[in-house]
Amino acid sequence: MFGSSKLHYIWRPVTGGRHAFAVEARDQPSGELVTAFCGVAADAAELRGRTELDWIREDTCMDCWRHLADPQPRPR
């Protein structure tokens, strides 16, 4: 997973924290719920158009962080 240059996940500051989502989540239409690795759901529209200020205002979700740091393969 980490040996290739292909992007597998993205971090996005959504309401309530900076969460990690599968990269495919950013391509979902507005109004579609997407789920972060920690289980938090957000409207796909929240993953687009975020500013640097949004980024620094939100704390990193440590549940997402721990999930990505775990070497277990993620379910598909």
Side-chain angles (χ1 to χ4, degrees), residues 49-69:
R50 306 312 292 197
T51 67
E52 288 182 16
L53 191 55
D54 294 330
W55 184 264
I56 62 173
R57 283 184 174 164
E58 298 291 347
D59 291 328
T60 297
C61 173
M62 294 313 293
D63 288 337
C64 284
W65 184 274
R66 282 187 286 276
H67 179 85
L68 293 172

Side-chain angles (χ1 to χ4, degrees), residues 7-13 18-27 36-37 47-48 55 64 68 74:
L7 190 61
H8 294 276
Y9 59 88
I10 54 172
W11 286 92
R12 289 295 186 266
R18 188 170 44 240
H19 294 276
F21 295 85
V23 72
E24 296 83 13
R26 68 180 173 187
D27 298 326
F37 284 94
L47 276 57
R48 298 183 285 275
W55 184 264
C64 284
L68 293 172
R74 69 177 186 168

Side-chain angles (χ1 to χ4, degrees), residues 22-45:
V23 72
E24 296 83 13
R26 68 180 173 187
D27 298 326
Q28 299 304 310
S30 296
E32 188 78 25
L33 284 181
V34 293
T35 305
F37 284 94
C38 68
V40 166
D43 186 311

